[in-house]
Amino acid sequence: MPYPKGHRDRTREQIIESARRLFNRNGFENVSIDAIMADSGLTRGAFYSYFRSKSDLYVEALRCFFTDPNWKNRWRGVKFDLNSPNMAAQIVRAYLSRQHYDDVENSCPMVALPCDVARSSPAVKSAFESVFKAMVAALEREVAARPHERRDAAMAVAALCIGGMVIARSLNDAQFADGLRDAATEAALSLGGWNRTRPRKKGPH
Amino acid sequence: MPYPKGHRDRTREQIIESARRLFNRNGFENVSIDAIMADSGLTRGAFYSYFRSKSDLYVEALRCFFTDPNWKNRWRGVKFDLNSPNMAAQIVRAYLSRQHYDDVENSCPMVALPCDVARSSPAVKSAFESVFKAMVAALEREVAARPHERRDAAMAVAALCIGGMVIARSLNDAQFADGLRDAATEAALSLGGWNRTRPRKKGPH
DNA sequence: TGTACATCAGTGAACGCGCGTTCACTGATGTAC
DNA sequence: TGTACATCAGTGAACGCGCGTTCACTGATGTAC
């Protein structure tokens, strides 16, 4: 065994990590295999001993976001307390935070890449679906509603969080985008029933 | 004047129309100038006598959606009654309808292209912003809330409509996507205060 | 401990292809006389 | 009415470039003896 044990797995993870960051910034089609491999400190030829094709890598790059046990600390300066009873409200606030808005590279792939996914293969859509379902499940437990209505409300909250951030990133006026993030945050907290514990605060946070 | 009057304007409109449809289906970067010109019945060379560059065309293709007086009838089978007092609720239902979900080519560009816009120039983002503001303004008038809260609620409703459809298009399971559209519709109507006139209906429409 | 070897992760030239953009040219048509 | 001409929308070959993918090869390293 001419290379240390685990070397291959670590290299594979490194390629996926490079791909994840570059895809978030530029989209699937605007990132070349050359760029991904160079970012990983390798050359293009090695790629095909790790993945069958470029589109296979899309699936892996999407999957890694929520399956990575550290995903909850991805956004700089945002901490989650898993034991807090306000976990769902924390997720909403973090998702629509300025940190998440600014940090495109470490963004949730559902914000950076949904249009790219919509144009991709069923396998890529399935990976996206898993990430979305994980977010819905995390929110669902804490929705203040009758049990059979919780899932619908959680889906709407997730759609509002993702949609609010997707649009904020597509606007030119940064202040208007701030206003949209705030409005989406308030509305999402209201839909989940999480805005009644403290008085509404205005302005960016 | 070797060509009939208005010929040039009509050709320009035709190119923008071809671009709009092809961009909606494949995204900005995955549509070549050759493809757009061929779709318009022309060849590549003529393009640069109408537009300075490909990215100039992005702006025009976005702009044409809401400035076109016929935009409100774009989605097959969906009619708007401008004089109806339930205009906002109609917009929400139409936006999240199965017709809009299916008809990718005639989709609202805010659903098909937000990620492409987010990676584009300030000029492209400005065009997107105009479309978004037009949608918010149309909803705002009818929001059932105190005047200073209407704008925020309208922005959240718009974000939920767009976000719900963007995500629905990115999912693999069509039934799950239907459920998401329904949940987003109910939540959007609730945020606007438009769901109290009739009892909630379950199931796809 | 020292040496020869087998392994295999990684290299980089080459492939065919399509892209955005440029530009000298064509040829159909409205106009002037 | 008929003819010569000026106009200009549109053509298509050419440019340099980067892409996804393939493949014969390299060379550092763990292992066997």
Side-chain angles (χ1 to χ4, degrees), chain B:
Chain B
M1 221 176 285
Y3 278 79
K5 199 173 176 180
H7 169 88
R8 225 186 126 77
D9 286 349
R10 263 179 278 117
T11 303
R12 188 182 147 92
E13 286 306 309
Q14 173 57 57
I15 296 170
I16 293 170
E17 172 66 8
S18 293
R20 187 190 61 73
R21 278 190 287 107
L22 290 167
F23 287 159
N24 267 348
R25 180 161 292 287
N26 303 310
F28 287 154
E29 310 278 357
N30 300 308
V31 177
S32 68
I33 288 170
D34 259 43
I36 294 165
M37 297 305 276
D39 191 82
S40 300
L42 298 165
T43 55
R44 72 179 73 82
F47 180 81
Y48 291 89
S49 76
Y50 287 97
F51 303 95
R52 275 184 309 167
S53 70
K54 193 186 174 190
S55 79
D56 270 21
L57 183 59
Y58 298 166
V59 174
E60 299 298 328
L62 285 178
R63 211 204 306 276
C64 79
F65 186 78
F66 262 56
T67 55
D68 181 342
N70 293 320
W71 72 267
K72 291 179 188 66
N73 298 317
R74 276 201 188 287
W75 306 318
R76 232 173 310 139
V78 177
K79 294 281 169 202
F80 290 90
D81 179 1
L82 280 165
N83 300 316
S84 160
N86 287 325
M87 181 66 186
Q90 280 186 69
I91 291 177
V92 169
R93 289 183 196 280
Y95 207 91
L96 286 159
S97 69
R98 173 164 272 282
Q99 280 87 355
H100 191 198
Y101 174 79
D102 286 332
D103 195 357
V104 174
E105 274 196 359
N106 295 309
S107 175
C108 174
M110 294 193 290
V111 167
L113 299 166
C115 306
D116 300 70
V117 171
R119 294 169 206 137
S120 297
S121 69
V124 178
K125 289 185 182 180
S126 278
F128 184 96
E129 195 170 300
S130 298
V131 179
F132 183 68
K133 282 179 172 167
M135 182 172 179
V136 171
L139 295 168
E140 188 176 353
R141 272 179 264 119
E142 292 189 45
V143 171
R146 278 172 291 178
H148 71 279
E149 290 174 344
R150 278 186 197 149
R151 192 177 170 74
D152 278 6
M155 286 200 288
V157 170
L160 182 49
C161 288
I162 300 165
M165 190 58 85
V166 166
I167 297 158
R169 290 245 185 97
S170 302
L171 299 172
N172 195 44
D173 179 341
Q175 275 192 298
F176 185 59
D178 283 346
L180 171 60
R181 283 192 301 103
D182 285 345
T185 306
E186 291 302 320
L189 293 175
S190 163
L191 283 173
W194 305 310
N195 59 340
R196 283 156 207 158
T197 51
R198 49 162 148 167
R200 192 189 313 111
K201 269 200 288 185
K202 273 277 173 180
H205 33 79

Side-chain angles (χ1 to χ4, degrees), chain A:
Chain A
M1 220 176 286
Y3 278 80
K5 200 174 176 179
H7 168 88
R8 223 184 129 77
D9 286 349
R10 263 178 279 116
T11 303
R12 189 183 147 91
E13 286 306 308
Q14 172 59 56
I15 295 170
I16 294 171
E17 173 66 9
S18 293
R20 187 189 62 73
R21 278 190 288 107
L22 290 167
F23 286 158
N24 267 349
R25 181 161 293 287
N26 304 310
F28 287 155
E29 311 278 357
N30 300 308
V31 176
S32 67
I33 288 171
D34 259 42
I36 294 165
M37 297 306 277
D39 191 83
S40 299
L42 298 165
T43 56
R44 74 179 71 82
F47 180 82
Y48 291 88
S49 75
Y50 287 96
F51 304 95
R52 276 184 309 167
S53 70
K54 193 186 175 191
S55 78
D56 270 21
L57 183 59
Y58 298 166
V59 175
E60 299 299 328
L62 285 179
R63 210 205 306 275
C64 79
F65 186 78
F66 262 56
T67 55
D68 181 345
N70 293 321
W71 72 267
K72 292 180 187 66
N73 298 317
R74 277 204 185 285
W75 306 319
R76 231 173 311 139
V78 177
K79 294 282 170 205
F80 290 88
D81 179 2
L82 280 165
N83 300 316
S84 160
N86 286 326
M87 181 66 187
Q90 282 185 68
I91 291 178
V92 169
R93 288 183 197 280
Y95 207 92
L96 285 160
S97 69
R98 172 163 273 282
Q99 280 86 355
H100 191 198
Y101 174 79
D102 287 332
D103 196 357
V104 174
E105 275 196 358
N106 295 310
S107 175
C108 175
M110 294 192 290
V111 167
L113 300 166
C115 307
D116 300 69
V117 170
R119 295 170 206 136
S120 296
S121 68
V124 178
K125 288 185 182 178
S126 278
F128 184 96
E129 197 171 298
S130 297
V131 179
F132 182 69
K133 281 179 172 168
M135 183 172 177
V136 171
L139 294 168
E140 188 176 353
R141 271 179 265 119
E142 293 188 46
V143 171
R146 278 172 292 177
H148 72 281
E149 289 173 345
R150 278 186 198 149
R151 192 175 170 75
D152 278 5
M155 285 200 287
V157 169
L160 182 48
C161 288
I162 299 166
M165 188 59 83
V166 166
I167 297 158
R169 290 244 185 97
S170 302
L171 299 171
N172 194 45
D173 179 342
Q175 276 191 299
F176 184 59
D178 283 346
L180 171 60
R181 282 193 300 103
D182 285 346
T185 305
E186 290 303 319
L189 293 175
S190 163
L191 282 173
W194 305 309
N195 60 340
R196 283 156 207 158
T197 50
R198 47 162 150 169
R200 192 190 311 110
K201 270 201 289 188
K202 273 275 174 183
H205 31 82

